[in-house]
Amino acid sequence: MRAERATDDVGRQLERYRAWQRRFLASPSDAAVRAGFQDAVAALCAVTSRRCGREAAEAAERGPLPASARPDSARRPAPPGSD
């Protein structure tokens, strides 16, 4: 259930991002539109864990990673001196 909610949230944020992107491309000098687009970029980056809006949109469009491709903290080496 939790993964489904996360996927729904990513989808909603991607739709919001695309809508603001269209507005921004139509009126790049409008400060209110620019602010709305920046907020949409920030929200999409937050839900996809990406730092760049374009990368976040691409990640959202690709969909969730299969379990075998997800980063796993258990596979990461321990930091030096932690043993």
Side-chain angles (χ1 to χ4, degrees):
M1 182 81 162
R2 182 179 278 170
E4 185 177 312
R5 247 185 271 150
T7 303
D8 290 346
D9 193 31
V10 171
R12 279 191 301 275
Q13 294 302 331
L14 179 60
E15 286 179 28
R16 181 173 172 248
Y17 167 83
R18 290 294 183 207
W20 277 107
Q21 181 184 42
R22 285 188 297 275
R23 291 179 194 162
F24 177 69
L25 291 173
S27 303
S29 60
D30 185 325
V33 171
R34 181 180 297 269
F37 180 59
Q38 289 173 337
D39 287 344
V41 170
L44 185 61
C45 286
V47 298
T48 60
S49 301
R50 299 294 197 279
R51 293 178 53 175
C52 167
R54 183 172 292 156
E55 290 176 8
E58 290 172 359
E61 288 168 345
R62 277 194 307 269
L65 290 173
S68 61
R70 290 186 191 136
D72 184 1
S73 60
R75 290 188 287 180
R76 292 185 193 149
S82 64
D83 44 270

